[in-house]
Amino acid sequence: MTMTTVERDARLGRWLRLLVWGGAVFAWLVPVAAKLLADIPWTTFDFVAWGVMLLVAAGVCEVGLRLSGALAYRAGVVVAAGTSFLIVWSNLAVGIIGDENNPLNQIFFGVIAVGIVGAFLARFRARGMALAMVVTAAAQFGTAFVALAYEHVVFAIVGVFSLGWLLAAWLFREAARGEG
């Protein structure tokens, strides 16, 4: 007996949710174990902030997984949320330009805001999400010119983030093709 597309997508959705939430729990437990075994210099605030960041990223993925049954759309959401997570994490932990206290680092939060506003303007539809992610990638790439004036290595880091947004755009475009 063959599985219908609806059944397959429901099963895939369950596995993706398990992967996202299980990954978030695992990611939270890694520094807990490191604190117990190696006495890393994390405070209670660090653990709470890390947990909140993981909850927000996993929550965004959860909502995105429910918005469409298309694998490409779901992957696009996970890539976009993951790219945002990496930007926030690296920016809060050590800063992307200089250290975490450098006010120029605020431009990276602006890039995430561009993606969020674009997603709402697109009403979370695949075709619009693809365009929103391309615009977000362009905004991300624009930060490279600010960063280049400060540190050359940041140019490469910004390039990696831009590739994340472009990958999400491609995935949303593929999902839009499947919608007809």
Side-chain angles (χ1 to χ4, degrees), residues 79-80 82-91 95-96 108 111 133 136-138 140-141 143 154-168:
V79 169
T83 301
S84 295
F85 179 84
L86 290 174
I87 290 170
V88 171
W89 178 33
S90 58
N91 215 0
I96 297 170
F108 296 100
V111 170
M133 294 301 104
T136 306
Q140 185 72 71
F141 191 69
T143 65
V154 177
F155 195 78
I157 295 167
V158 167
V160 170
F161 292 148
S162 296
L163 288 175
W165 297 119
L166 289 173
L167 175 60

Side-chain angles (χ1 to χ4, degrees), residues 63 67-68 73 77 115-116 118-129 172 179:
V63 170
L67 288 174
S68 174
Y73 187 97
V77 169
I116 292 169
F120 276 98
L121 289 175
R123 297 188 329 200
F124 301 98
R125 294 201 171 107
R127 188 172 316 281
M129 290 295 287
F172 284 120
E179 291 175 352

Side-chain angles (χ1 to χ4, degrees), residues 6 9-18 20-21 57-78 81 123-126 129 172 179:
V6 174
D9 287 347
R11 181 176 287 175
L12 178 63
R14 286 191 295 273
W15 278 105
L16 288 171
R17 283 182 187 85
L18 180 63
V20 166
W21 289 104
V60 166
C61 288
E62 177 70 28
V63 170
L65 293 174
R66 292 175 184 269
L67 288 174
S68 174
L71 179 59
Y73 187 97
R74 290 172 167 183
V77 169
V78 171
R123 297 188 329 200
F124 301 98
R125 294 201 171 107
M129 290 295 287
F172 284 120
E179 291 175 352

Side-chain angles (χ1 to χ4, degrees), residues 18-34:
L18 180 63
L19 182 67
V20 166
W21 289 104
V25 169
F26 178 77
W28 190 80
L29 289 175
V30 167
V32 170

Side-chain angles (χ1 to χ4, degrees), residues 46-60:
D46 294 326
F47 285 104
V48 170
W50 181 242
V52 167
M53 287 172 44
L54 290 167
L55 278 172
V56 168
V60 166

